[in-house]
Amino acid sequence: MTNDDFIVKAAKALGDKNRLKIVKELAKRGTMNCSETEKLTSLAQPTMSHHIQLLVESGLVSVEKDGRTSILSLNQKNIEALTVFLGKVADA
Amino acid sequence: MTNDDFIVKAAKALGDKNRLKIVKELAKRGTMNCSETEKLTSLAQPTMSHHIQLLVESGLVSVEKDGRTSILSLNQKNIEALTVFLGKVADA
DNA sequence: GTAATACATTGAAGTTTATCAATATGTTTC
DNA sequence: GAAACATATTGATAAACTTCAATGTATTAC
């Protein structure tokens, strides 16, 4: 994946209000499992599962399996990379 | 528009490779008019016009009309706002 | 004022995305 | 091992998005 591809994918992942809500909540709590994300919105479980998959594929969110639960957290390094890119654009 | 709405809209605007290319080129050159953006890709003129409209509506890009040409530039303030948001998320 | 230039709008086609109900898979509990 | 739990997958539908050809609207140039 080129850097541009990463930017596009990550931006696309952030460009949805439900996924943004997950990201913001992860920033607040540190971690969440999938069931907890479902309580953030009124979306059905498969829909959330899909959104989470997109966030993970984008690199913004990481998953660690613990038994039957999936523990989500922010991928700080990749979010930082996106931030740095934007920072450069902001004061170009 | 709430702050979340802005983040979603701006991220969505960035989440397309052609629009990202415009933004990056604006960061490099400072300004461009619409005809110049058309040379960046192989997209048709109406398609570019549409992408530019999305960028402008998102707040990432500003337009100033000068006769028959539209002069595009980055909206540093809004890009900075997006950067700040991500920065907070990155080291949450 | 006609022609050329720069951009916007419209209408339509194809593609992608968001969403859900139903169902499947793997895991813990009893 | 049966039941409950956590998440994933599948298949379908509706909405949103990307793209273009055709056409429209200003503006400049001759």
Side-chain angles (χ1 to χ4, degrees):
Chain A
M1 188 161 60
T2 73
N3 190 55
D4 276 16
D5 283 346
F6 162 68
I7 304 286
V8 166
K9 227 170 179 181
K12 202 177 290 190
L14 261 189
D16 173 276
K17 74 170 157 43
N18 295 306
R19 292 193 293 265
L20 176 60
K21 188 169 258 179
I22 296 173
V23 167
K24 288 181 73 171
E25 200 66 20
L26 281 175
K28 196 182 294 179
R29 301 196 201 175
T31 62
M32 273 196 294
N33 56 43
C34 296
S35 337
E36 286 170 328
T37 65
E38 283 165 41
K39 292 171 200 150
L40 297 177
T41 69
S42 52
L43 296 177
Q45 179 267 323
T47 304
M48 258 312 182
S49 187
H50 174 240
H51 283 309
I52 289 169
Q53 189 184 318
L54 288 185
L55 283 169
V56 170
E57 281 172 2
S58 79
L60 295 179
V61 167
S62 302
V63 191
E64 195 194 346
K65 271 263 175 190
D66 178 22
R68 62 187 166 188
T69 86
S70 290
I71 298 169
L72 310 175
S73 61
L74 295 178
N75 185 324
Q76 318 272 12
K77 190 165 161 247
N78 285 338
I79 294 177
E80 177 72 15
L82 185 56
T83 308
V84 167
F85 166 78
L86 277 174
K88 282 182 195 157
V89 171
D91 45 64
Chain B
M1 187 160 62
T2 73
N3 191 55
D4 276 16
D5 283 346
F6 162 68
I7 303 286
V8 167
K9 228 171 178 180
K12 201 176 292 189
L14 262 188
D16 173 276
K17 75 171 156 44
N18 296 306
R19 291 192 295 265
L20 176 60
K21 188 170 258 178
I22 296 174
V23 167
K24 288 180 74 171
E25 200 66 20
L26 280 175
K28 196 183 295 179
R29 301 196 201 175
T31 62
M32 272 195 294
N33 56 44
C34 295
S35 335
E36 286 171 328
T37 65
E38 283 166 40
K39 292 169 200 151
L40 297 177
T41 70
S42 53
L43 296 177
Q45 179 266 323
T47 304
M48 258 312 182
S49 187
H50 175 239
H51 283 310
I52 289 170
Q53 190 185 316
L54 288 185
L55 284 169
V56 170
E57 281 171 0
S58 78
L60 295 179
V61 168
S62 302
V63 191
E64 195 195 347
K65 270 264 176 189
D66 177 23
R68 63 185 165 188
T69 87
S70 289
I71 298 169
L72 310 175
S73 60
L74 294 178
N75 186 323
Q76 319 272 13
K77 190 166 161 247
N78 285 338
I79 294 177
E80 177 73 15
L82 185 55
T83 308
V84 166
F85 166 78
L86 277 174
K88 282 182 196 155
V89 171
D91 46 66

